[in-house]
Amino acid sequence: MTETLKENFTSIMGGHIYILGTETLPSGRIVQVIGDTEDLERALETIDDLVEEYHVRSQVRMGEIIFGSKSTTLQVSGIDWNKEQLLKETLTIADGTLDNIETAGSLVIPEKVADKLGVITGETVLIRMDTVTGQKNVGEYTVVAII
């Protein structure tokens, strides 16, 4: 019964429950980050028998992906692909491959984003995003897969 419940819940929720947190910096600025995860880890231990696996990700609500003169916004998540084998095994790939996804600077994007930008696998894009403290960053990424 417990295994069936776990599988059904995973199917309904897409396999992910997101926990967000905020902290107040010494300057008084509120940032979306969970620095000390000790309490959260203790809470997760209490439901350990109901959870197949859990992972910590970095996430930016809205990043801007740029290819040539075109751009669009999207949510950007940092995934440790070595730890998230289930995700890697269950993604439906429209183009490209996840064979070398662990390589720094690799990027997986939705098909709608690829179509909007006119980008294909193997091409390089820029992603502009803000850190939790508001610092502007731009990085260069290679599209390795389109989902």
Side-chain angles (χ1 to χ4, degrees):
M1 175 71 169
T2 302
E3 192 62 33
T4 304
L5 179 63
K6 188 188 314 184
E7 288 174 13
N8 288 340
F9 186 71
T10 299
S11 295
I12 291 169
M13 298 302 292
H16 295 88
I17 298 172
Y18 295 95
I19 301 170
L20 306 174
T22 59
E23 291 187 5
T24 304
L25 300 176
S27 65
R29 182 178 184 161
I30 298 172
V31 294
Q32 287 194 321
V33 66
I34 301 174
D36 182 2
T37 60
E38 190 176 309
D39 290 338
L40 178 57
E41 289 170 14
R42 247 191 328 274
L44 289 171
E45 286 173 9
T46 67
I47 59 167
D48 197 46
D49 59 329
L50 299 174
V51 178
E52 187 170 326
E53 58 186 48
Y54 73 91
H55 307 282
V56 177
R57 293 185 184 172
S58 300
Q59 182 174 307
V60 175
R61 279 184 194 246
M62 282 298 141
E64 180 183 18
I65 183 169
I66 305 161
F67 183 68
S69 62
K70 297 179 181 177
S71 70
T72 190
T73 57
L74 74 163
Q75 181 176 312
V76 179
S77 295
I79 298 171
D80 185 340
W81 292 98
N82 291 314
K83 292 182 180 176
E84 295 206 38
Q85 289 301 311
L86 183 61
L87 176 61
K88 190 175 178 180
E89 293 166 7
T90 57
L91 274 180
T92 302
I93 306 298
D95 187 39
T97 178
L98 297 179
D99 289 347
N100 296 312
I101 191 64
E102 295 88 1
T103 304
S106 296
L107 181 67
V108 176
I109 60 172
E111 197 167 14
K112 284 185 178 183
V113 171
D115 290 345
K116 183 173 183 174
L117 297 175
V119 67
I120 60 173
T121 56
E123 293 186 310
T124 302
V125 297
L126 297 175
I127 297 184
R128 181 172 37 202
M129 58 194 130
D130 296 345
T131 66
V132 294
T133 58
Q135 180 180 337
K136 307 284 185 196
N137 286 323
V138 176
E140 191 174 81
Y141 295 86
T142 302
V143 176
V144 297
I146 297 171
I147 55 174

